[in-house]
Amino acid sequence: MVLNTAAFLKFAPGGGPLHDPVPVAALFAAGIIDTRGFAAALYGLWRELTPAVVAEAFDGAPWIGGLAEVLADIRSRGDRAVVVTMSPDFFAGRLRGLGVDDVVASGFPPPPFRAAPDPAGILVPEDKVTAVDRLRAALGLGRDACVAYGDSGSDVPLFSVLRHTVAVNATPGLRALAATGYDGDDLRAAYALGRELRARA
């Protein structure tokens, strides 16, 4: 839902090469480290992180256009908006305040950190399937009742098991796997594509 899915990295405090998260993100994107190695590295960068800095980063994140309208429409129809993300829960959890019903994210201790994150609480891409299956089962829904929107390689496992998938400003690999795709800055257009997929089912 952000134009840059690593937007939460902007709140790495301090500045300078020792606090720059971009090299760590590059290692993750290249597959050199996994989500748990990524989390451990970010913990080392974020020792000075405070709730105020997190709030500032969240409020200043480049959210895709039409987000509020899409979330409002989902709720008006009695559907549920769910976000499953590799991002830290202390950042992603704030999406509930925008109208997201359920947020599943990597578990970090609350900032300022007093301990390292437990590796068992850091999500891996396959956890997206587990999380969606758990939520939909609790609601009595089948997989074909779900529409997934994604942009990166971490969405590949979920896109591999769902029929209704929309790649949004996505990597080429995910775009090739998706049922349809959208590039741009208006979530309403991507959301319309997803509703068309369900209507045709």
Side-chain angles (χ1 to χ4, degrees):
M1 292 190 293
V2 289
L3 293 178
N4 172 8
T5 57
F8 68 90
L9 293 174
K10 70 185 285 185
F11 56 55
L18 294 179
H19 297 280
D20 184 0
V22 174
V24 177
L27 292 175
F28 175 66
I32 296 172
I33 59 175
D34 62 10
T35 56
R36 288 163 182 161
F38 187 51
L42 291 181
Y43 164 71
L45 294 173
W46 290 347
R47 297 293 185 91
E48 304 165 27
L49 196 62
T50 66
V53 173
V54 175
E56 181 181 357
F58 185 88
D59 292 342
W63 302 108
I64 192 168
L67 174 59
E69 291 84 355
V70 167
L71 292 174
D73 188 76
I74 290 172
R75 180 157 293 184
S76 72
R77 295 172 184 269
D79 293 337
R80 292 185 73 85
V82 176
V83 171
V84 185
T85 176
M86 309 286 102
S87 298
D89 54 358
F90 61 78
F91 183 82
R94 291 174 173 267
L95 290 165
R96 295 185 182 92
L98 300 183
V100 174
D101 295 297
D102 299 287
V103 177
V104 181
S106 290
F108 271 68
F113 300 143
R114 297 293 181 261
D118 180 354
I122 303 302
L123 301 189
V124 297
E126 291 74 17
D127 289 329
K128 291 194 172 187
V129 178
T130 303
V132 168
D133 279 347
R134 182 176 65 250
L135 288 167
R136 68 165 183 80
L139 295 169
L141 300 174
R143 283 180 170 173
D144 283 353
C146 304
V147 179
Y149 302 82
D151 65 354
S152 69
S154 71
D155 297 305
V156 166
L158 187 60
F159 274 45
S160 297
V161 300
L162 295 181
R163 282 202 306 149
H164 308 319
T165 54
V166 183
V168 183
N169 299 319
T171 59
L174 190 70
R175 181 64 182 263
L177 185 62
T180 189
Y182 169 77
D183 293 302
D185 182 23
D186 191 342
L187 188 59
R188 290 167 295 190
Y191 175 62
L193 293 174
R195 297 207 63 84
E196 288 175 11
L197 290 174
R198 280 187 62 185
R200 295 202 301 263

